[in-house]
Amino acid sequence: MTFRTRFAPSPTGPLHLGHAYSAMLAHDMARARGGTFLLRIEDIDQSRSRLAWEAQIFDDLHWLGITWDEPVMRQSERMPVYRAALATLWDNGLAFACTCSRRDILAATSAPQEGQPSVGPDGTIYPGTCRNKTVQSTQPDDAAIRLNINAAVAALRADFPLSFQESLHDVARTVECNPTDLTDDIGDIVLSRKDMGTSYHMSVVLDDAAQNITDVVRGEDLFDATKIHVVLQHLLKLPTPHYHHHPLIRDDTGKRLAKRDDARAIRTYRDDGACPADIRKMVGL
Ligand code: GLU
């Protein structure tokens, strides 16, 4: 299959050097392989997404010389797809409603007998409070919906070890996940947030499949989250793309760049007279 990749920014702030690196790396890889490069706007968090940021992202990417080969996909337009997948998981007994607040989860995991709370790619591993509450036959829309990881592991028992191909700079390896990696290090992750009707994990898995992505190029901060994505791909019978998790661009003190770090915004470099070649040099491309 020909190489298809994407850049998937959330329009919640300016693109900074880290985003530019990710986008240029994916774009370079697609162009070098005669493949396809796509842009996806990850705007499921409508409380933080802004059209003005989206316009700025398009403008910065164009300025960097990045072009996309198909119309932009916008997550906010795909809610019916996310809802249908959630219903499939719910109907198969793989999900449950959760009414815990962050504070409830913290209180349950920091009880003295619990020891140090475990932390996974999505934060504190869910202690399971709502998992065994009265079984609801219909999926409520006023609660978060979580994946029942024990049920998922049982449903996938014939597929273990789950695996994905990880490569960077053409050095490839296979990453395997066993049931305990999932129950101990991932837990009952949120499939649908009460205020969103979906979650990053659900949407990214469904969208990568819908866009026929063969290769995901993104920051290494998402390496552990990929295990969640592989579980969802198996449960929803979707293909697993190859992954290329690249190092993060850090500031002079070694801290990773954040959206609010305006000093590293591409816009700021542009205003200061930098050219795209300067940005490439700064990120080591
Ligand atoms: N919207 C996500 C981000 O900006 C994209 C992550 C991904 O590429 O899967 O971090």
Side-chain angles (χ1 to χ4, degrees):
M1 217 183 332
T2 54
F3 185 97
R4 277 173 77 87
T5 192
R6 63 4 177 232
F7 175 57
S10 302
T12 55
L15 286 192
H16 58 57
L17 275 184
H19 298 109
Y21 174 55
S22 206
M24 290 190 291
L25 184 62
H27 190 255
D28 284 0
M29 286 169 78
R31 295 293 171 251
R33 291 161 170 80
T36 302
F37 175 88
L38 304 177
L39 179 63
R40 180 165 79 226
I41 294 294
E42 301 214 322
D43 58 351
I44 47 174
D45 187 349
Q46 286 286 306
S47 67
R48 291 171 60 225
S49 297
R50 297 283 176 274
L51 279 175
W53 288 128
E54 189 181 302
Q56 171 88 61
I57 289 171
F58 293 159
D59 192 55
D60 282 342
L61 291 176
H62 278 135
W63 178 79
L64 287 166
I66 291 176
T67 51
W68 41 98
D69 303 316
E70 291 174 16
V72 173
M73 176 179 275
R74 231 179 238 92
Q75 289 191 324
S76 54
E77 293 168 1
R78 290 179 41 79
M79 290 308 294
V81 175
Y82 308 145
R83 264 196 294 272
L86 191 62
T88 302
L89 297 176
W90 180 273
D91 292 345
N92 289 327
L94 298 166
F96 63 91
C98 173
T99 52
C100 294
S101 64
R102 252 174 233 265
R103 190 192 292 226
D104 296 333
I105 295 173
L106 212 64
T109 50
S110 53
Q113 71 277 13
E114 298 296 334
Q116 201 55 17
S118 319
V119 176
D122 245 5
T124 309
I125 306 270
Y126 184 65
T129 321
C130 289
R131 191 193 305 137
N132 301 319
K133 279 192 187 155
T134 45
V135 183
Q136 283 161 291
S137 48
T138 49
Q139 182 195 312
D141 50 19
D142 58 350
I145 308 293
R146 289 181 178 274
L147 178 69
N148 181 334
I149 196 71
N150 292 330
V153 163
L156 298 177
R157 64 189 169 279
D159 294 2
F160 281 102
L162 306 188
S163 67
F164 63 93
Q165 289 294 315
E166 169 69 36
S167 58
L168 193 65
H169 308 311
D170 294 328
V171 183
R173 66 189 169 108
T174 303
V175 180
E176 291 190 344
C177 345
N178 288 304
T180 48
D181 299 327
L182 304 181
T183 49
D184 298 357
D185 304 341
I186 302 286
D188 301 328
I189 52 99
V190 173
L191 295 169
S192 167
R193 272 173 50 172
K194 189 170 105 182
D195 55 338
M196 279 187 195
T198 183
S199 65
Y200 159 66
H201 303 300
M202 265 304 251
S203 299
V204 83
V205 157
L206 290 161
D207 296 345
D208 283 339
Q211 293 190 299
N212 294 314
I213 297 301
T214 62
D215 292 78
V216 172
V217 181
R218 63 185 179 192
E220 65 188 4
D221 52 327
L222 289 166
F223 178 83
D224 287 328
T226 303
K227 295 175 188 166
I228 302 174
H229 301 170
V230 173
V231 171
L232 293 177
Q233 285 152 1
H234 277 258
L235 292 174
L236 295 166
K237 305 202 181 342
L238 302 172
T240 296
H242 288 187
Y243 288 89
H244 311 258
H245 290 98
H246 60 71
L248 300 180
I249 303 288
R250 297 182 183 274
D251 68 11
D252 303 335
T253 65
K255 237 176 52 223
R256 58 181 279 208
L257 302 181
K259 279 258 165 66
R260 54 196 170 278
D261 190 357
D262 279 359
R264 315 270 163 169
I266 299 304
R267 181 79 247 175
T268 310
Y269 289 108
R270 289 174 66 177
D271 291 346
D272 290 348
C275 66
D278 297 327
I279 306 286
R280 288 189 76 88
K281 210 149 131 206
M282 272 183 244
V283 298
L285 281 172

